[in-house]
Amino acid sequence: MILNRRRLAGVVVASLLAAGPLATSTARAQFTVFDPTNYAQNVLQAARALQTINNQISSLQNEAQMLIGQARSLASLPYSSLAALQAQVDRTRELLGQAQGLAYDVTQIREAFRTQYGAVDLSVTDAALTQRADARWGAAVSGFQDALKVQAGVVGGMGASRDQLAALVGQSQGAVGGLQAAQAGNQLLALQAQQLADLLALSAAQGRAQALEAADRAAARADAKARFSKFMGSAGTP
């Protein structure tokens, strides 16, 4: 019995000795699965990758903001006063086109001065002289009437011009980009040009009326001289 126990113990010891190196290496392998150096490198690489991603996100955000800024800078002005300005110019031109009597036409003016304002033939009759005077008086009255109509049209359009000016200034001050500011400025210049055109039309109408009046006075003196010459000629005839 004692011998059997010794033999069993020997077998167990031999088995342990035989399995000893394998068990030791297995335990050591299980212990070295976690590598601190490799883990630290992995963490560092992950941090660097995260930083790269954050940089890319920031770059995309900056590009998005830049695109938004460019879109605002290139945005068109959502307001146009062109129709109102053109309507005012058309009204002024219409008033000028309604000129009565002697109109704004070079050929017509030349013919009128030849027949109504030119030199008088001493052989002309008194009835013809009276007709000339009536035609000149009608042209002068029409000229002053046309000037008053143009003046009324210009003054009447001042309210619309004021509203357009206020609207354009508001749009210019609220511009979100360079294009909108430039377009508002261009429309302000167009409004100024329209106002200058109205003043030019008014000046032309007033100048026309004054010129007709002056021409009428000159022609009236010529007619009076012709009448006097005719009278003196007839008085000297026996």
Side-chain angles (χ1 to χ4, degrees):
M1 188 66 178
I2 295 174
L3 182 59
N4 292 334
R5 289 181 178 177
R6 288 180 179 177
R7 289 179 178 177
L8 181 59
V11 172
V12 171
V13 172
S15 300
L16 290 174
L17 290 176
L22 179 60
T24 302
S25 61
T26 302
R28 185 178 299 170
Q30 293 177 351
F31 180 75
T32 58
V33 168
F34 176 76
D35 189 352
T37 302
N38 189 25
Y39 178 77
Q41 292 178 352
N42 292 335
V43 171
L44 182 60
Q45 291 178 355
R48 290 175 178 173
L50 180 61
Q51 183 63 35
T52 300
I53 293 174
N54 289 333
N55 293 337
Q56 292 176 351
I57 292 175
S58 299
S59 178
L60 291 175
Q61 289 176 343
N62 293 333
E63 290 179 1
Q65 291 296 330
M66 183 173 60
L67 292 175
I68 292 174
Q70 291 177 353
R72 290 179 177 177
S73 179
L74 297 176
S76 179
L77 186 70
Y79 180 81
S80 176
S81 61
L82 180 60
L85 297 180
Q86 288 180 337
Q88 179 62 26
V89 172
D90 291 340
R91 284 194 296 270
T92 303
R93 292 182 61 184
E94 182 180 359
L95 290 174
L96 291 176
Q98 294 174 357
Q100 302 177 12
L102 189 58
Y104 298 91
D105 182 78
V106 176
T107 302
Q108 185 178 358
I109 291 173
R110 184 183 296 114
E111 180 64 21
F113 268 80
R114 187 184 67 81
T115 59
Q116 300 176 12
Y117 298 90
V120 181
D121 188 355
L122 295 180
S123 63
V124 69
T125 63
D126 290 339
L129 291 174
T130 302
Q131 185 179 3
R132 276 168 49 96
D134 290 340
R136 293 194 306 268
W137 179 81
V141 172
S142 297
F144 282 108
Q145 183 179 0
D146 294 337
L148 290 175
K149 287 166 59 178
V150 174
Q151 185 181 40
V154 172
V155 173
M158 291 179 63
S161 298
R162 180 189 58 199
D163 295 339
Q164 293 296 324
L165 178 62
L168 288 172
V169 170
Q171 291 291 330
S172 177
Q173 292 178 343
V176 298
L179 180 59
Q180 288 190 1
Q183 289 178 336
N186 290 338
Q187 293 190 43
L188 284 170
L189 292 176
L191 175 60
Q192 184 180 17
Q194 176 263 316
Q195 292 173 339
L196 291 176
D198 283 348
L199 292 177
L200 180 61
L202 178 59
S203 177
Q206 291 176 340
R208 172 176 173 269
Q210 294 172 358
L212 287 174
E213 183 185 22
D216 180 46
R217 289 197 302 266
R221 288 194 296 268
D223 287 356
K225 183 178 179 180
R227 289 176 185 272
F228 180 75
S229 298
K230 288 179 61 178
F231 172 76
M232 291 300 295
S234 61
T237 301

